[in-house]
Amino acid sequence: MICVLLVAGHGTVLEAQIKNDETGLYSHLSGVPKALLPGIGGKKILDFWWETVNMRQLFTEVYLVTNADKYKHYERWATATDFPVENIINDGSTTLEDRLGAVADLELVVRSRKLQDDIMVIAGDMLCADQNFDIAQVIRFFRSKPGELIIYYELEEGEKSSSRGIIEVCHDSHRVTRFLEKPQEGQTASQLASVVFYCIQRDTLSYMSDFLSQQPQTVGRAFGQFWEWLINEKQRHVFGMKLPTGFQLIGQVGLSDYTKWLTHYSTKQQGNPAKPITCRSYARVGLMGNPSDGFNGKTIAMTIANFWAEVTLLETQTLVLVPHPLNDPTEFGSLQDLFCISRKEGYLGGLRLLQATCKKFYQFCSKQGIALTKQNFTLKYDTNIPRQVGLAGSSAIVSATLKCLMKFYNITDNDLPKPIRANFILDVETDELSITAGLQDRVVQVYEGLVYMDFSKELMEEHGFGAYIPMDMSELPPFWLAYLSDPSDSGRIHSNIRQRWLSGELLVIEAMRRFAELTDQARTAFRDKDWSRLVQLMDQNFELRRSIYTDDCLGPGNLKMVELARQFGSAVKLPGSGGAVVGLCLDQARLVEMRRAFQEAGCVFCVISPYNPSASAVGGQH
């Protein structure tokens, strides 16, 4: 691949303002091209791009196109930075009026150097707000698509679409469906702005000559008009890749833009310690319909404030994943200590969850056409969610990690919508780590609060996700939770139900249909605040589950907790895969008695504090 840096523009506005600046602070810059304006630490604007593309493993050659008026400046720059002087091309223009235009400048390089390779084109006098991005990722995405590539970003506050080339992009295919050069207000709702940063296939280079033959006037030879023609008229396949950061010093800019850029990079260079990003995700209880979420059923679940996982991300020089001192032990008091910890908590802590989430995040962004900056970080986690009792502790760590990564890399809800985010978290666990799991936990931890979920086959096949509806959390009754202090592996509870469901066993299929019916009835009970009816439905949910999973599969510990709760007239069911029970007792006095009984039986008991995101100022992020 070949890279072409375009710096042939005539920066008349900036040059005029520098020349006329009454402070005298910038008089020494009079006549200096915009791309060679000094920055921080002796770096010039063009230096950032040269450092980015000066990689022989990616580019066989790098060319630079300038004008006759500024050629000597760039020649001097080249000798100082080891840029090959012979690769500087002079387009012969000396003023704004006799400029060739950006497309003609690129065509000049292709024609004069007889280039027959794919080309990356970059305006060398602009900058990303964060220049440290992975250009290799851009090239990989370009080569994965059957067409050209346009880099774009979301307009920042204060930027007007009428000053940019705006693109409309298909979310699924990433194909650019329309290009509008500096559109008038109301022409498009898109806020996706293109900059001169493109990848063009060798077979498309000939189109430039055809375009230029139709554009005798220089003003029509900008890349904006070229892409309008190529995409809107010629219907060529052009794809978009997003940089999750803005751009600065685009096109004709003034002295204030330059000083703003200086301030931005000065702040970064001062080495001010970045503020850590800390995010939480909460444990959940399945209140109705589970475990039908993995079988095209319906469920209602709720996040609870009693237990959570918290992940902290801090920008650092290298990427570090910090083991948790309790959950990822590497030192033990004795062999017996190792035996006891391993028997109770298993062998797998949370470190693998952080690593798998990071791996999947990079993979997702690469596939979705999001070019990430090359920033490193340290990740550490903490959690108080009891292990192996079916409260979605693993997915809470994954969910909190994903929140941190999205915030760190400026990935928005548009880039990773909530329904897709839930699928992402499930894929981390099932595809990367082979953890038995369903969608319910990931959905409720993404949406947070009390959520109704419909996983019907029709919805899942059409959209790839179900219908997820937040529910009213006002005036909820006092749900309670109890769990075994010494649980077995909760994943065992799924047994052979999936195989039986896939084979079409009528008993299982009918049970999953019935779970969905119970969930719809429970949704009505929540709406009407009919807690007596909800008590009945929760008990029916457990008995239905018991009928298909059998007592042997449910295990004596779970059954003991269920029977104990029923002695006090409480509704009770499993909130997850096993190891805990959730219930609803409407008699306050009996609730107190039941707590004591569970504690005497060696179980941990608590009254649930629902986590309501609308009542939290931080919405799960701290």
Side-chain angles (χ1 to χ4, degrees):
M1 192 170 198
I2 291 168
C3 180
V4 177
L5 300 173
L6 298 179
V7 289
H10 298 271
T12 56
V13 175
L14 183 57
E15 287 185 12
Q17 291 184 0
I18 288 175
K19 184 177 181 180
N20 298 325
D21 178 50
E22 296 179 354
T23 67
L25 294 174
Y26 304 99
S27 58
H28 63 292
L29 300 179
S30 183
V32 176
K34 186 176 77 168
L36 297 184
L37 288 173
I40 307 302
K43 275 189 178 183
K44 300 173 175 61
I45 296 171
L46 187 56
D47 290 340
F48 287 93
W49 286 116
W50 176 228
E51 288 181 4
T52 300
V53 303
N54 185 20
M55 291 190 285
R56 284 292 177 183
Q57 66 268 36
L58 297 180
F59 301 103
T60 55
E61 293 287 352
V62 179
Y63 293 95
L64 185 144
V65 188
T66 184
N67 54 54
D69 185 43
K70 304 300 182 187
Y71 178 82
K72 205 65 183 175
H73 287 276
Y74 289 107
E75 184 181 60
R76 191 67 54 83
W77 169 82
T79 58
T81 59
D82 291 327
F83 185 92
V85 176
E86 65 274 14
N87 283 4
I88 301 178
I89 296 164
N90 187 340
D91 75 358
S93 68
T94 57
T95 66
L96 187 64
E97 288 69 30
D98 72 349
R99 70 191 186 281
L100 299 188
V103 179
D105 279 326
L106 178 58
E107 195 269 342
L108 172 63
V109 184
V110 174
R111 178 166 39 86
S112 64
R113 300 305 171 98
K114 298 179 173 55
L115 302 184
Q116 296 181 340
D117 201 352
D118 297 338
I119 293 179
M120 177 178 286
V121 187
I122 301 171
D125 58 359
M126 67 171 186
L127 277 178
C128 300
D130 193 327
Q131 188 68 7
N132 189 28
F133 63 90
D134 188 352
I135 203 160
Q137 189 183 16
V138 175
I139 295 173
R140 284 194 296 271
F141 186 72
F142 164 62
R143 287 177 172 160
S144 73
K145 298 295 181 183
E148 325 320 316
L149 181 66
I150 289 177
I151 296 296
Y152 67 91
Y153 71 102
E154 283 193 56
L155 289 175
E156 297 179 341
E157 187 175 351
E159 283 190 288
K160 294 183 178 180
S161 59
S162 59
S163 66
R164 299 283 183 262
I166 302 298
I167 62 174
E168 297 174 356
V169 183
C170 172
H171 184 270
D172 295 326
S173 68
H174 312 294
R175 183 175 175 180
V176 179
T177 56
R178 192 159 68 130
F179 191 106
L180 299 102
E181 176 66 0
K182 300 178 180 177
Q184 295 179 353
E185 187 175 351
Q187 271 192 276
T188 178
S190 175
Q191 292 288 296
L192 307 180
S194 162
V195 291
V196 180
F197 190 162
Y198 316 120
C199 294
I200 302 175
Q201 293 182 327
R202 69 188 76 182
D203 296 338
T204 306
L205 297 176
S206 60
Y207 278 83
M208 289 191 297
S209 299
D210 297 339
F211 170 76
L212 291 171
S213 67
Q214 300 175 34
Q215 300 290 337
Q217 300 297 320
T218 303
V219 70
R221 295 180 169 187
F223 269 108
Q225 283 85 359
F226 174 70
W227 291 118
E228 278 189 319
W229 174 78
L230 194 69
I231 296 169
N232 304 351
E233 292 186 31
K234 292 298 181 179
Q235 297 290 305
R236 290 284 295 179
H237 284 219
V238 178
F239 298 86
M241 185 175 199
K242 181 184 179 182
L243 276 183
T245 180
F247 281 80
Q248 298 173 346
L249 306 181
I250 302 172
Q252 291 288 341
V253 298
L255 187 56
S256 62
D257 298 290
Y258 173 57
T259 55
K260 176 185 174 184
W261 172 74
L262 281 177
T263 302
H264 171 80
Y265 279 97
S266 176
T267 302
K268 291 195 70 174
Q269 289 291 323
Q270 286 173 2
N272 295 332
K275 292 183 178 180
I277 298 169
T278 300
C279 299
R280 276 186 180 181
S281 285
Y282 293 86
R284 69 88 193 93
V285 288
L287 296 177
M288 190 59 58
N290 59 305
S292 71
D293 53 311
F295 307 92
N296 298 130
K298 299 177 182 180
T299 68
I300 294 173
M302 181 174 68
T303 48
I304 62 175
N306 307 68
F307 304 108
W308 64 84
E310 186 173 271
V311 175
T312 298
L313 182 153
L314 179 65
E315 184 173 3
T316 50
Q317 288 295 314
T318 57
L319 200 157
V320 180
L321 306 179
V322 181
H324 191 279
L326 294 178
N327 298 324
D328 304 291
T330 56
E331 294 186 17
F332 302 89
S334 65
L335 191 59
Q336 181 184 8
D337 183 35
L338 182 149
F339 166 79
C340 293
I341 292 173
S342 302
R343 182 181 65 85
K344 183 177 180 181
E345 300 186 9
Y347 304 102
L348 303 173
L351 199 62
R352 61 180 180 141
L353 300 170
L354 303 187
Q355 184 172 351
T357 306
C358 290
K359 184 252 187 183
K360 199 76 173 179
F361 180 78
Y362 182 86
Q363 181 180 329
F364 173 86
C365 291
S366 298
K367 185 177 179 181
Q368 293 299 314
I370 301 172
L372 300 176
T373 53
K374 289 194 290 186
Q375 296 168 276
N376 284 328
F377 52 83
T378 292
L379 270 181
K380 63 180 181 179
Y381 79 98
D382 194 12
T383 180
N384 66 356
I385 301 176
R387 297 185 64 179
Q388 311 223 28
V389 296
L391 296 179
S394 294
S395 62
I397 295 173
V398 175
S399 175
T401 303
L402 180 59
K403 287 181 184 180
C404 285
L405 292 171
M406 290 180 66
K407 195 168 185 179
F408 183 65
Y409 287 106
N410 195 30
I411 303 301
T412 67
D413 285 347
N414 290 332
D415 301 320
L416 188 48
K418 285 184 176 180
I420 305 302
R421 209 179 308 167
N423 289 351
F424 175 101
I425 296 167
L426 180 64
D427 289 344
V428 168
E429 298 183 82
T430 57
D431 295 351
E432 299 296 321
L433 301 172
S434 301
I435 296 174
T436 301
L439 258 176
Q440 169 190 257
D441 303 355
R442 291 84 207 156
V443 172
V444 73
Q445 286 173 331
V446 166
Y447 283 81
E448 298 181 324
L450 183 67
V451 184
Y452 168 87
M453 294 160 269
D454 181 352
F455 303 100
S456 71
K457 182 178 181 181
E458 295 74 22
L459 287 171
M460 297 298 293
E461 289 182 350
E462 182 177 355
H463 303 291
F465 51 84
Y468 311 138
I469 304 172
M471 298 171 62
D472 178 26
M473 297 186 71
S474 63
E475 302 177 29
L476 289 177
F479 293 102
W480 57 265
L481 176 72
Y483 56 91
L484 300 169
S485 57
D486 186 14
S488 61
D489 183 1
S490 61
R492 267 188 333 185
I493 203 75
H494 289 287
S495 185
N496 64 346
I497 289 296
R498 175 157 297 279
Q499 290 75 20
R500 294 164 62 190
W501 182 72
L502 290 172
S503 66
E505 184 179 322
L506 291 179
L507 179 66
V508 176
I509 291 174
E510 175 59 25
M512 297 306 165
R513 185 193 64 78
R514 178 61 180 153
F515 277 125
E517 288 181 353
L518 292 176
T519 301
D520 284 333
Q521 293 174 29
R523 185 184 181 189
T524 301
F526 271 105
R527 184 195 65 200
D528 298 340
K529 304 193 185 305
D530 186 350
W531 308 131
S532 297
R533 177 59 178 152
L534 185 60
V535 164
Q536 297 172 356
L537 293 169
M538 290 178 71
D539 281 334
Q540 291 178 40
N541 193 120
F542 176 77
E543 290 304 325
L544 180 60
R545 183 171 186 166
R546 189 176 192 173
S547 69
I548 58 172
Y549 279 87
T550 73
D551 287 0
D552 287 341
C553 184
L554 292 181
N558 292 314
L559 293 174
K560 179 182 177 182
M561 289 190 290
V562 169
E563 295 305 320
L564 183 58
R566 287 180 170 175
Q567 291 176 22
F568 295 89
S570 175
V572 63
K573 63 181 294 296
L574 303 188
S577 53
V581 290
V582 62
L584 177 56
C585 182
L586 301 179
D587 186 326
Q588 186 63 34
R590 303 209 73 184
L591 178 63
V592 173
E593 295 174 5
M594 183 170 57
R595 176 199 289 265
R596 187 179 300 112
F598 267 98
Q599 292 170 339
E600 291 173 355
C603 298
V604 181
F605 185 98
C606 63
V607 175
I608 287 175
S609 298
Y611 178 74
N612 185 350
S614 62
S616 171
V618 291
Q621 295 194 14
H622 303 268

